[in-house]
Amino acid sequence: MILARLPRHGALTLTAIALAAIVFVALLGWLSLATGRWPALVLAIVLVIAGVVWLALPLVIGRVGRSATILRALIIIGLAARLALLPSPPLYEDDYVRYLWDGGVTAAGLNPYARSPSSILNDIHPLFPQMPGTVRPASPEAVLGVQSKGVLERVSYPSVTTIYPPLAQLGFAAAHLLSPWSLLAWKVVGLAAEALTLWLLMGGLRAAQRSPGWAMLYWLCPLVIKDFANGAHMDVLLMPTLAGLIWAMVTGRLRTAAVLIGVAAALKFWPLLLVPGLAWRVKKWPQRIALAALATGSAALLLTPQLLALDPASSGLSAYAESWVRNSLAFPALKAIITALAIGGDPALLTRFLVAAIVGGAGAAMGGESRQCRADGNNRSLARYGARAAVAQPYWL
């Protein structure tokens, strides 16, 4: 047995972590089946307590993180927690319904950006009676909607097309091909993405001459486990790309890193904010421009199907571009200050330019500070980069 081969403090540590994981999974499983409004408070309390316990994990890793036996045991604990939550209904989440519908559309060879769910529902359940002598043709999307086991009817924001980029659509389609309209199949795809993320994180840490045990900060993070194994969030597809990006940056493969930023942007748009930081890893302007062009060019190429389908009337991306400020933090305060100063022009537009300058400058500073590829410097720079941002990370972006 693993515990029998460990020193006393190692066995006690693993036992404590395993018990904490069991309690956490049991509470999440119970909450996912509970009804009523009060479980939301319980969920918040559970996540806060689990987060406080997780904050002690660096102390454990610092002491026993280089033990291969303990590392394997921690990986097993994280895997077991995820497997236990795979069958659980998502807590306070319904985004996965859109993933299932998009996956079915993409797997059928149709364009997920062409039509909104409400327009397809109109094909199935016409809002107006047919004119005499006419027959409404059945669209391929309508046929798919009838076969979707109620998925189409449950999609959130049905009046707009999907906001999720093309590479995310491939992940949704993979789940559909595995088992049509199945939440469990989508979670299995997510679990595979998490396993790849863990492997890439450990590889990057080894390349940085750090203990791979530090990857357990991700693998045992309660919020990660909840949002992916239970909540089924599509951000799980982004994680391997970001982990690969870290590995490439640590080893100085900047062109690879630039392409990976483009790939990441075709899963979610926000990794494009990393372009200034990447470009400033080199000293000469021609090289900076080349890296930035490679990253943005890769993103533009991969995003082409979505960008070509933009329609202000029904595009989810266009709708989000107009309402994104609901996720803002400091943005309203900056806008209020600019409005009070009466500088002239559109205060909202001026505030956007200011935020872009702040975030872009912070990204460039991050790249300059971490040019020597020091892992600790990279972490501090990334933390400062996030702290300077004037908006919350847009969930859809």
Side-chain angles (χ1 to χ4, degrees), residues 137-222:
S139 65
E141 293 88 351
V143 173
L144 198 64
V146 172
Q147 300 170 350
S148 70
K149 304 177 182 178
V151 168
L152 176 61
E153 288 80 0
R154 294 185 290 122
V155 174
S156 298
Y157 304 101
S159 62
V160 296
T161 59
T162 184
I163 193 173
Y164 301 107
L167 292 189
Q169 299 297 331
L170 295 182
F172 304 154
H176 187 85
L177 293 174
L178 186 63
S179 181
W181 318 114
S182 169
L183 173 60
L184 181 59
W186 163 241
K187 286 188 175 184
V188 169
V189 170
L191 181 60
E194 281 215 88
L196 178 57
T197 300
L198 178 62
W199 180 78
L200 290 168
L201 284 175
M202 293 174 66
L205 286 164
R206 289 191 179 97
Q209 298 182 345
R210 295 300 184 92
S211 167
W214 290 109
M216 295 302 101
L217 291 176
Y218 167 84
W219 189 243
L220 295 177
C221 176

Side-chain angles (χ1 to χ4, degrees), residues 165-317:
L167 292 189
Q169 299 297 331
L170 295 182
F172 304 154
H176 187 85
L177 293 174
L178 186 63
S179 181
W181 318 114
S182 169
L183 173 60
L184 181 59
W186 163 241
K187 286 188 175 184
V188 169
V189 170
L191 181 60
E194 281 215 88
L196 178 57
T197 300
L198 178 62
W199 180 78
L200 290 168
L201 284 175
M202 293 174 66
L205 286 164
R206 289 191 179 97
Q209 298 182 345
R210 295 300 184 92
S211 167
W214 290 109
M216 295 302 101
L217 291 176
Y218 167 84
W219 189 243
L220 295 177
C221 176
L223 185 59
V224 168
I225 294 172
K226 185 268 173 192
D227 273 359
F228 292 161
N230 170 262
H233 266 295
M234 61 79 54
D235 302 66
V236 70
L237 298 178
L238 181 63
M239 296 299 105
T241 309
L242 296 180
L245 173 61
I246 292 172
W247 194 345
M249 295 280 278
V250 166
T251 54
R253 292 175 290 177
L254 300 186
R255 285 190 293 270
T256 300
V259 173
L260 286 174
I261 287 178
V263 172
L267 290 162
K268 277 209 164 184
F269 298 105
W270 72 260
L272 288 173
L273 295 173
L274 300 175
V275 172
L278 172 66
W280 255 253
R281 292 294 293 270
V282 294
K283 295 182 179 181
K284 297 181 179 180
W285 272 101
Q287 294 174 322
R288 290 175 177 175
I289 294 173
L291 285 174
L294 181 58
T296 55
S298 300
L301 179 64
L302 294 171
L303 288 168
T304 296
Q306 185 174 17
L307 298 177
L308 290 178
L310 285 180
D311 179 359
S314 62
S315 169
L317 188 58

Side-chain angles (χ1 to χ4, degrees), residues 311-383:
D311 179 359
S314 62
S315 169
L317 188 58
S318 298
Y320 188 81
E322 294 178 359
S323 60
W324 67 273
V325 291
R326 72 183 63 179
N327 292 309
S328 59
L329 290 176
F331 189 90
L334 291 174
K335 180 182 175 183
I337 293 173
I338 290 177
T339 302
L341 292 175
I343 299 174
D346 183 357
L349 183 60
L350 291 174
T351 307
R352 293 187 186 207
F353 280 127
L354 178 60
V355 169
I358 292 173
V359 176
M366 180 185 70
E369 290 170 357
S370 58
R371 190 174 292 152
Q372 300 303 319
C373 299
R374 295 191 303 269
D376 54 342
N378 287 343
N379 293 338
R380 286 196 300 269
S381 299
L382 187 58

